[in-house]
Every structure is written in C-alpha cells, then in structure tokens.
Amino acid sequence: MTIAYACLLFMGLFPYVAAGIAKKGFENYDNSMPRQWLAKQTGFRARANAAQANLFESLPLFFAAVIIASINNAPQTRIDLLALGFVAARIAFLICYLADWPTTRTIVWSIGLICVIAIFCQI
C-alpha cells in the first residue's frame, strides 16, 4: 500500500472523528433522529458537525486525484507528499473548526485544496 493510498483510507474514516466529537457525551442524544438532534446543537458540537460535513464533501475530489494520478503513473513520491499535505491540512482544518478560528480554518482549507489540485497537475 502506498502512502497516498493509506491517506485515502485515513481520510475515508476521519470524518467519523468529527462526528464522534459532535456527539461527545450524547447529552439528550436521540438516536432515532440523530440529524435533528445535531441540528439543534450549538458551540463545539455544531462546529464539529459542520466540520464532519465538510470533511465528507472534500473526499471525492481527493480520492479522484490520488487514484487518477496513480493510474497515470505520476511520480509516486510527489503523490505521497501531496496526499500527506492534504491530510495534515484537513487535520488542522478540524482543529481550527473546533477552536472557532475561522480565518485560520479558511487558510488550511485552501492549503488542502491546493494539494489536491497539485496532485491533478502531476498527471
């Protein structure tokens, strides 16, 4: 398994970390209507839920970039480094979301997007 493929696996699971944070403690949690319960949350729970959605939204383009670059025999070292950069940016993104640092969050979100675009440019 390449480093980039390991990053795909990690990122496929990472949004669930944000989901777990959003549901932390399960105060008055209603498992029969979890989305409605989450929609009523505020503070870090609401931010973690929003981060979860954004993390899921970022997956298709990242997955496509890595897989297409790999299929086209782009330099594996570059794909690996850029995939690691994306992962680092998305971890920082979640931290910034939870800490309520919107400007920094936007910067690290942009870095992640740049990493994905750079992977595509390796093709």
Short mmCIF file of all heavy atoms in Angstrom, two decimals, residues 4-30:
data_model
loop_
_atom_site.label_atom_id
_atom_site.label_comp_id
_atom_site.label_asym_id
_atom_site.label_seq_id
_atom_site.Cartn_x
_atom_site.Cartn_y
_atom_site.Cartn_z
N ALA A 4 0.04 7.34 -0.21
CA ALA A 4 -1.15 8.04 -0.70
C ALA A 4 -2.41 7.19 -0.50
O ALA A 4 -3.46 7.71 -0.11
CB ALA A 4 -1.00 8.40 -2.17
N TYR A 5 -2.31 5.88 -0.74
CA TYR A 5 -3.47 5.01 -0.52
C TYR A 5 -3.81 4.92 0.96
O TYR A 5 -4.99 4.86 1.33
CB TYR A 5 -3.24 3.63 -1.11
CG TYR A 5 -3.33 3.57 -2.63
CD1 TYR A 5 -2.96 2.43 -3.30
CD2 TYR A 5 -3.78 4.65 -3.38
CE1 TYR A 5 -3.04 2.35 -4.68
CE2 TYR A 5 -3.86 4.60 -4.75
CZ TYR A 5 -3.50 3.44 -5.40
OH TYR A 5 -3.58 3.38 -6.76
N ALA A 6 -2.80 4.91 1.81
CA ALA A 6 -3.04 4.93 3.26
C ALA A 6 -3.76 6.23 3.64
O ALA A 6 -4.64 6.23 4.51
CB ALA A 6 -1.73 4.77 4.02
N CYS A 7 -3.39 7.32 2.98
CA CYS A 7 -4.07 8.60 3.22
C CYS A 7 -5.53 8.53 2.81
O CYS A 7 -6.40 9.12 3.47
CB CYS A 7 -3.35 9.73 2.47
SG CYS A 7 -1.73 10.16 3.14
N LEU A 8 -5.82 7.81 1.71
CA LEU A 8 -7.21 7.63 1.29
C LEU A 8 -8.00 6.91 2.39
O LEU A 8 -9.12 7.33 2.73
CB LEU A 8 -7.30 6.83 0.00
CG LEU A 8 -6.77 7.46 -1.28
CD1 LEU A 8 -6.97 6.52 -2.45
CD2 LEU A 8 -7.43 8.80 -1.56
N LEU A 9 -7.42 5.86 2.92
CA LEU A 9 -8.10 5.11 3.98
C LEU A 9 -8.31 6.00 5.21
O LEU A 9 -9.41 6.06 5.76
CB LEU A 9 -7.29 3.86 4.35
CG LEU A 9 -7.83 3.03 5.51
CD1 LEU A 9 -9.24 2.52 5.21
CD2 LEU A 9 -6.89 1.87 5.79
N PHE A 10 -7.26 6.69 5.62
CA PHE A 10 -7.36 7.57 6.78
C PHE A 10 -8.45 8.61 6.57
O PHE A 10 -9.30 8.83 7.44
CB PHE A 10 -6.01 8.25 7.05
CG PHE A 10 -6.07 9.22 8.20
CD1 PHE A 10 -5.93 8.78 9.50
CD2 PHE A 10 -6.27 10.58 7.97
CE1 PHE A 10 -6.00 9.67 10.57
CE2 PHE A 10 -6.33 11.48 9.02
CZ PHE A 10 -6.21 11.02 10.32
N MET A 11 -8.43 9.27 5.41
CA MET A 11 -9.41 10.33 5.16
C MET A 11 -10.82 9.78 5.01
O MET A 11 -11.79 10.48 5.34
CB MET A 11 -9.02 11.14 3.91
CG MET A 11 -7.83 12.06 4.13
SD MET A 11 -7.98 13.15 5.58
CE MET A 11 -9.49 14.02 5.22
N GLY A 12 -10.95 8.55 4.55
CA GLY A 12 -12.28 7.94 4.47
C GLY A 12 -12.89 7.74 5.85
O GLY A 12 -14.11 7.77 6.01
N LEU A 13 -12.04 7.58 6.85
CA LEU A 13 -12.50 7.36 8.22
C LEU A 13 -12.50 8.63 9.08
O LEU A 13 -13.24 8.71 10.06
CB LEU A 13 -11.63 6.30 8.90
CG LEU A 13 -11.64 4.92 8.23
CD1 LEU A 13 -10.60 4.01 8.86
CD2 LEU A 13 -13.02 4.31 8.31
N PHE A 14 -11.71 9.61 8.70
CA PHE A 14 -11.52 10.81 9.52
C PHE A 14 -12.80 11.59 9.81
O PHE A 14 -12.97 12.10 10.93
CB PHE A 14 -10.46 11.70 8.89
CG PHE A 14 -10.02 12.84 9.77
CD1 PHE A 14 -9.51 12.60 11.04
CD2 PHE A 14 -10.11 14.15 9.33
CE1 PHE A 14 -9.10 13.64 11.85
CE2 PHE A 14 -9.71 15.19 10.14
CZ PHE A 14 -9.20 14.95 11.40
N PRO A 15 -13.75 11.71 8.87
CA PRO A 15 -14.97 12.45 9.20
C PRO A 15 -15.72 11.87 10.41
O PRO A 15 -16.42 12.59 11.12
CB PRO A 15 -15.81 12.34 7.93
CG PRO A 15 -14.81 12.16 6.84
CD PRO A 15 -13.71 11.33 7.45
N TYR A 16 -15.53 10.58 10.66
CA TYR A 16 -16.20 9.97 11.80
C TYR A 16 -15.62 10.45 13.12
O TYR A 16 -16.29 10.40 14.15
CB TYR A 16 -16.15 8.44 11.69
CG TYR A 16 -16.88 7.96 10.45
CD1 TYR A 16 -16.18 7.47 9.36
CD2 TYR A 16 -18.27 8.02 10.37
CE1 TYR A 16 -16.84 7.05 8.21
CE2 TYR A 16 -18.95 7.61 9.23
CZ TYR A 16 -18.22 7.12 8.15
OH TYR A 16 -18.89 6.73 7.03
N VAL A 17 -14.38 10.92 13.10
CA VAL A 17 -13.79 11.53 14.29
C VAL A 17 -14.58 12.80 14.63
O VAL A 17 -14.96 13.02 15.79
CB VAL A 17 -12.29 11.85 14.08
CG1 VAL A 17 -11.73 12.67 15.23
CG2 VAL A 17 -11.50 10.57 13.88
N ALA A 18 -14.83 13.62 13.61
CA ALA A 18 -15.61 14.84 13.82
C ALA A 18 -17.02 14.50 14.28
O ALA A 18 -17.58 15.17 15.17
CB ALA A 18 -15.65 15.67 12.54
N ALA A 19 -17.60 13.44 13.71
CA ALA A 19 -18.94 13.03 14.13
C ALA A 19 -18.95 12.61 15.59
O ALA A 19 -19.86 12.96 16.34
CB ALA A 19 -19.43 11.88 13.26
N GLY A 20 -17.92 11.88 16.00
CA GLY A 20 -17.82 11.47 17.40
C GLY A 20 -17.69 12.65 18.33
O GLY A 20 -18.28 12.67 19.42
N ILE A 21 -16.92 13.65 17.91
CA ILE A 21 -16.76 14.86 18.72
C ILE A 21 -18.10 15.59 18.82
O ILE A 21 -18.47 16.08 19.89
CB ILE A 21 -15.67 15.78 18.14
CG1 ILE A 21 -14.30 15.09 18.27
CG2 ILE A 21 -15.67 17.14 18.82
CD1 ILE A 21 -13.20 15.76 17.50
N ALA A 22 -18.84 15.66 17.72
CA ALA A 22 -20.14 16.34 17.73
C ALA A 22 -21.11 15.66 18.70
O ALA A 22 -21.93 16.33 19.33
CB ALA A 22 -20.74 16.36 16.32
N LYS A 23 -20.99 14.36 18.82
CA LYS A 23 -21.91 13.60 19.68
C LYS A 23 -21.32 13.32 21.06
O LYS A 23 -21.94 12.61 21.86
CB LYS A 23 -22.28 12.29 18.99
CG LYS A 23 -23.02 12.51 17.69
CD LYS A 23 -23.23 11.20 16.96
CE LYS A 23 -23.87 11.44 15.61
NZ LYS A 23 -24.02 10.21 14.84
N LYS A 24 -20.15 13.88 21.34
CA LYS A 24 -19.44 13.61 22.60
C LYS A 24 -20.35 13.76 23.81
O LYS A 24 -21.00 14.78 23.99
CB LYS A 24 -18.25 14.58 22.73
CG LYS A 24 -17.41 14.35 23.96
CD LYS A 24 -16.26 15.34 23.99
CE LYS A 24 -15.38 15.12 25.19
NZ LYS A 24 -15.85 15.79 26.36
N GLY A 25 -20.40 12.72 24.60
CA GLY A 25 -21.21 12.76 25.81
C GLY A 25 -22.67 12.40 25.57
O GLY A 25 -23.36 12.04 26.50
N PHE A 26 -23.13 12.53 24.36
CA PHE A 26 -24.51 12.18 23.98
C PHE A 26 -25.56 12.78 24.90
O PHE A 26 -26.54 12.13 25.25
CB PHE A 26 -24.68 10.65 23.92
CG PHE A 26 -23.85 9.98 22.90
CD1 PHE A 26 -22.64 9.38 23.25
CD2 PHE A 26 -24.24 9.94 21.58
CE1 PHE A 26 -21.86 8.75 22.30
CE2 PHE A 26 -23.46 9.32 20.62
CZ PHE A 26 -22.27 8.72 20.98
N GLU A 27 -25.37 14.03 25.30
CA GLU A 27 -26.34 14.69 26.17
C GLU A 27 -27.69 14.81 25.46
O GLU A 27 -27.81 15.48 24.46
CB GLU A 27 -25.82 16.07 26.57
CG GLU A 27 -24.56 15.99 27.42
CD GLU A 27 -23.94 17.36 27.63
OE1 GLU A 27 -24.63 18.37 27.50
OE2 GLU A 27 -22.73 17.38 27.93
N ASN A 28 -28.67 14.12 26.00
CA ASN A 28 -30.03 14.10 25.43
C ASN A 28 -30.03 13.63 23.97
O ASN A 28 -30.88 14.04 23.19
CB ASN A 28 -30.70 15.47 25.54
CG ASN A 28 -30.81 15.93 26.97
OD1 ASN A 28 -31.17 15.14 27.85
ND2 ASN A 28 -30.46 17.18 27.22
N TYR A 29 -29.07 12.79 23.62
CA TYR A 29 -28.94 12.32 22.24
C TYR A 29 -30.13 11.45 21.86
O TYR A 29 -30.55 10.58 22.61
CB TYR A 29 -27.64 11.51 22.08
CG TYR A 29 -27.42 11.01 20.69
CD1 TYR A 29 -27.14 11.87 19.65
CD2 TYR A 29 -27.48 9.66 20.41
CE1 TYR A 29 -26.94 11.42 18.37
CE2 TYR A 29 -27.26 9.18 19.14
CZ TYR A 29 -26.99 10.06 18.11
OH TYR A 29 -26.79 9.60 16.84
N ASP A 30 -30.69 11.71 20.69
CA ASP A 30 -31.84 10.95 20.19
C ASP A 30 -31.37 10.16 18.97
O ASP A 30 -31.29 10.68 17.86
CB ASP A 30 -32.97 11.90 19.81
CG ASP A 30 -34.21 11.17 19.33
OD1 ASP A 30 -34.20 9.92 19.27
OD2 ASP A 30 -35.20 11.86 19.00
#
